[in-house]
C-alpha cells in the first residue's frame, strides 16, 4: 500500500502540469488569433453596399485607392468631378467629329457631282442649275448624293475609338457610383452639371431640333 501511494503522487503531479501547459498554450493561441484578426480589421477597407458617408479608410475600385486622410478624400472627390467633365468632353468631341465628317464628305460629293455635270456639256444652263440645286438640297439634308458609303474607313475607326473611350469612362463612373458613397455620388452630379454647362452649348443649334443627348454613363 505505501508503494501504491508513492506511485500515484508523481502521476497526479505530472497530469496537473500537463493540463496547465495545455491550458496556457490554448490561451496563447487564442490571444494570438484574436490579435491577428484585430490587425486584419485595422487594415481593412470600409466598403458598404448601402448608402454611406465613409471618408477615412474607404476604398474605391482597388485596394491601392484607399483614403487615409481628409485631404486625400477631397482630392478624390475633385478627381471624380473632373472625370465626369471629361466624359462630357468626349461626347462633345464625337459630335464635333461627326459634323466634320458630314461637312467634308458632303463637300467632296458636291465637287465631284458638279465636275461631272460640267464635263457633260450638252445640257442647258437651266437644267444644270436645277441639278446643282437638287444636289445642294440633298447635301444639306445629309442624304447620300452618289453611290457608296458616307464614311471612310479611317473616319469610322476614329469614331469607334472615341466611342470606346467614352464607354470605358462611363462604366468607370458607374462603378464609382456603386459604392453608394454620398460624397462620391454628389461629386458625380456636380461633374455632370459642370460638363453640361461647358460642353453642351451645341446641342440646341441643329435646325431640325435638339440633338439626342445621352444620359448617364455611356
Amino acid at each position: 500500500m505505501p508503494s501504491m501511494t508513492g506511485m500515484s503522487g508523481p502521476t497526479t503531479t505530472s497530469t496537473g502540469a500537463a493540463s496547465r501547459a495545455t491550458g496556457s498554450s490554448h490561451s496563447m493561441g487564442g490571444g494570438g488569433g484574436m490579435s491577428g484578426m484585430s490587425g486584419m480589421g485595422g487594415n481593412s477597407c470600409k466598403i458598404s453596399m448601402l448608402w454611406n458617408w465613409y471618408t477615412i479608410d474607404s476604398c474605391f475600385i482597388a485596394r491601392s485607392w484607399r483614403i487615409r486622410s481628409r485631404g486625400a478624400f477631397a482630392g478624390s472627390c475633385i478627381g471624380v468631378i473632373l472625370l465626369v467633365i471629361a466624359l462630357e468632353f468626349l461626347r462633345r468631341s464625337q459630335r464635333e467629329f461627326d459634323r466634320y465628317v458630314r461637312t467634308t464628305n458632303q463637300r467632296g460629293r458636291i465637287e465631284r457631282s458638279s465636275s461631272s455635270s460640267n464635263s457633260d456639256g450638252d445640257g442647258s444652263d437651266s437644267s444644270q442649275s436645277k441639278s446643282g440645286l437638287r444636289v445642294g438640297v440633298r447635301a444639306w439634308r445629309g442624304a447620300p448624293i452618289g453611290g457608296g458609303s458616307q464614311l471612310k474607313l479611317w473616319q469610322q475607326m476614329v469614331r469607334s475609338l472615341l466611342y470606346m473611350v467614352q464607354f470605358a469612362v462611363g462604366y468607370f463612373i458607374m462603378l464609382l457610383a456603386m459604392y453608394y458613397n454620398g460624397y462620391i455620388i454628389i461629386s458625380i452630379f456636380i461633374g455632370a452639371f459642370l460638363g453640361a454647362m461647358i460642353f453642351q452649348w451645341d446641342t440646341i443649334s441643329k435646325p431640325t431640333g435638339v440633338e439626342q443627348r445621352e444620359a448617364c454613363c455611356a
Side-chain angles (χ1 to χ4, degrees), residues 39-97:
M40 290 176 62
N43 294 327
S44 62
C45 296
K46 290 182 180 179
I47 297 175
S48 176
M49 295 303 293
L50 300 175
W51 189 270
N52 64 87
W53 298 96
Y54 294 152
T55 55
I56 308 299
D57 288 333
S58 56
C59 296
F60 302 100
I61 306 299
R63 187 177 294 273
S64 58
W65 189 355
R66 181 179 177 183
I67 309 301
R68 300 185 182 273
S69 64
R70 294 186 181 275
F73 189 80
S76 296
C77 291
I78 294 173
V80 171
I81 293 174
L82 295 177
L83 186 65
V84 181
I85 293 175
L87 178 60
E88 292 299 327
F89 169 75
L90 288 170
R91 290 172 175 170
R92 174 64 180 269
S93 300
Q94 187 164 19
R95 292 195 298 270
E96 292 294 337
F97 185 75

Side-chain angles (χ1 to χ4, degrees), residues 72-217:
F73 189 80
S76 296
C77 291
I78 294 173
V80 171
I81 293 174
L82 295 177
L83 186 65
V84 181
I85 293 175
L87 178 60
E88 292 299 327
F89 169 75
L90 288 170
R91 290 172 175 170
R92 174 64 180 269
S93 300
Q94 187 164 19
R95 292 195 298 270
E96 292 294 337
F97 185 75
D98 287 346
R99 294 188 185 102
Y100 165 77
V101 168
R102 285 196 297 267
T103 303
T104 304
N105 292 356
Q106 288 170 5
R107 185 183 301 116
R109 284 193 298 269
I110 291 173
E111 292 175 354
R112 289 193 298 270
S113 177
S114 61
S115 62
S116 62
S117 62
N118 291 333
S119 63
D120 293 339
D122 54 351
S124 63
D125 295 337
S126 60
S127 62
Q128 290 179 1
S129 61
K130 291 180 181 179
S131 176
L133 180 61
R134 287 194 298 269
V135 168
V137 170
R138 295 185 67 186
W140 180 80
R141 291 178 178 176
I145 298 173
S149 175
Q150 285 187 299
L151 289 175
K152 299 179 176 63
L153 178 60
W154 72 268
Q155 293 171 346
Q156 182 62 17
M157 290 179 64
V158 173
R159 295 180 74 248
S160 301
L161 179 63
L162 288 172
Y163 181 77
M164 181 193 70
V165 178
Q166 173 185 325
F167 194 85
V169 174
Y171 269 88
F172 194 84
I173 294 171
M174 184 190 68
L175 289 175
L176 289 173
M178 289 178 64
Y179 283 87
Y180 298 97
N181 188 289
Y183 298 109
I184 296 296
I185 293 177
I186 291 174
S187 299
I188 293 174
F189 293 160
I190 294 173
F193 173 79
L194 294 177
M197 281 289 296
I198 297 170
F199 297 113
Q200 288 194 5
W201 290 89
D202 64 314
T203 56
I204 200 66
S205 60
K206 191 176 180 181
T208 56
V210 180
E211 291 185 4
Q212 183 179 1
R213 297 168 62 179
E214 300 87 352
C216 185
C217 306

